Amino acid sequence: MSVTRSRAREVAFQALYQLDLNPHAVSGDVERFVAARLHGGPLVPFATGIVRGVEASKGEIDPFLDARAEHWRVARMAATDRAILRVAA
């Protein structure tokens, strides 16, 4: 099965969604989830890089999104919306 970068971004989104709902998940869980979903393919580092980048920059991303979301805060958004916007940012 060929894994595309689009699929890797989708898996990164899924991992970020899970982390949003379970912020106490251990780092190894994320890597195992991504590797399993991408069948251990060459895009595992790409997807985990997205997840780690978003997690490391969340302190900058969330205020950026808060400032641009009219009459809304990131904390009030649905977890799926937050994950998509964070990946996009």
Side-chain angles (χ1 to χ4, degrees), residues 53-54 57 60-62 64-65 68 82-89:
V54 168
S57 302
E60 299 168 36
I61 293 172
D62 286 358
F64 174 83
L65 295 173
R68 282 150 184 83
R82 277 193 301 267
I84 291 169
L85 289 171
R86 286 171 176 160
V87 169

Side-chain angles (χ1 to χ4, degrees), residues 25-53:
V26 293
S27 179
D29 291 341
V30 173
E31 278 80 13
R32 281 190 295 279
F33 172 79
V34 170
R37 299 292 288 173
L38 296 176
H39 308 289
L43 290 174
V44 169
F46 174 71
T48 55
I50 291 171
V51 174
R52 295 296 165 226

Side-chain angles (χ1 to χ4, degrees), residues 1 4 10 15 18 21-22 24 36-37 40-41 48-49 51 53 57 63-64 67-68 71 76-77 79-80 82-83:
M1 170 192 275
T4 63
E10 179 183 327
Q18 289 181 14
L21 297 181
N22 183 13
H24 302 295
R37 299 292 288 173
T48 55
V51 174
S57 302
F64 174 83
R68 282 150 184 83
H71 311 292
R76 289 187 57 220
M77 293 178 185
T80 52
R82 277 193 301 267

